[in-house]
Amino acid sequence: PRGREPWLLPQPHAAHALEALRERQRLLPFWYTLCWDAASGALPSAEGLPLVRPLWLGSGGGGSPPASPAGAGKPVPRSALLLADTAFTVGADLLVFPVATKGASNVEVPLPVHGCGGAPCEWFSVSSGARLRGGFWHSEPVGLGSMPRYQRGGSILPRRERVRRSALLAVWDPISLHAALDAAGHAAGRLYLDDGVTARLPAALHEHQQSGGLLEAARAGAATAPESELEGAPPQHAARSAGAGVGALLLFNVTCEEKRSAQSTDGGGGGHVVRCILSSRPTRPLALGESVGPLPASVYVERVLLRGLSPLVVDQSTRLADWLPSSLAPGSGKRPTASVGGAAPRPLGGKVEATPHGLLLERLHLPCDEAWDIEVPGAVLDG
């Protein structure tokens, strides 16, 4: 029989399989963080939960969904989530709906409404960027190379856009953040980084629940991999794997405060003009008493996508944001700024672009070993 290796598939199937493998590699920081949360007990809400979950898990709660918004399908009953055996979530924040019907051109996807801190859940289509209300069936066009995926509003997913031949080669590559804002303009996420070669964690880490938490585990330090396990690894991995500084946990948060209500000039839906701040705060889960060590110093955030934000419209012909660098005079004070390590805010370098998926900040160089804040002084929070 024909082998199942993706490179043996005929075209166009081989090309689609290759892109799926690349997307898996891009999401490895997200998967790695989920594994850390599940193994370390550092996130109580994830303790004992599988990485891949059925839709009903974590979406409990009764009651009816809110009134159907324009364009939404029928409400999703609780029983539909119990019977949805083809869809699943990765962690709590990424919903995947594999297409299992040959020749399908359209699928109906049930999006959970509960499990978002008391507020109705919202989801963003990864393919189109559309904001969707939870609690309803949503129709999604599909093809041979597409698989419906949705990011939960209020979440931040870490990624690496550069695809390497192995995960080990990508350990020091820059990070991208995909932040999906909820209706209140908030989002939060986590990223666990380590050197990629450490073989085991301190034994005390497995006893942290009985011994008073992570602090005792952290004081024990981190065991490093034997030299034999480092053979063949790039030199920087062998050099930096020695010592206790093998892990760092980064906490990301987006908060937006409303400045005024806004109405789209092109007849579309309105929103709220908001001022948003994206913050990064590094911690050391394996050495809580120390400053952040050299491990993440070579890793930086290079790209941020803010789903749910649109540029302010100057007029219908230009569709320019009034803070985009290309439309500002020097010193206008309206462009995004960045503050690193407590320093005074400076104009954000790089590129700012409005996309169908949200505001995209590119060509950044924000270090993972320091606290930093990005301020977007004016944008529209889509409603």
Side-chain angles (χ1 to χ4, degrees), residues 1 39 50 85 155 179 210 243 279 291 319 331 340-341 380:
D85 56 357
S155 66
Q210 291 75 28
S279 301
S291 61
R319 297 287 299 182
V340 179
V380 176

Side-chain angles (χ1 to χ4, degrees), residues 34-93:
L34 289 177
C35 291
W36 159 256
D37 288 337
S40 68
L43 190 63
S45 61
E47 189 169 1
L49 294 180
L51 306 187
V52 176
R53 308 167 188 175
L55 295 191
W56 54 263
L57 184 59
S59 61
S64 302
S68 178
K74 296 180 179 180
V76 177
R78 171 78 172 160
S79 58
L81 298 182
L82 294 174
L83 298 174
D85 56 357
T86 58
F88 58 88
T89 64
V90 181
D93 298 330

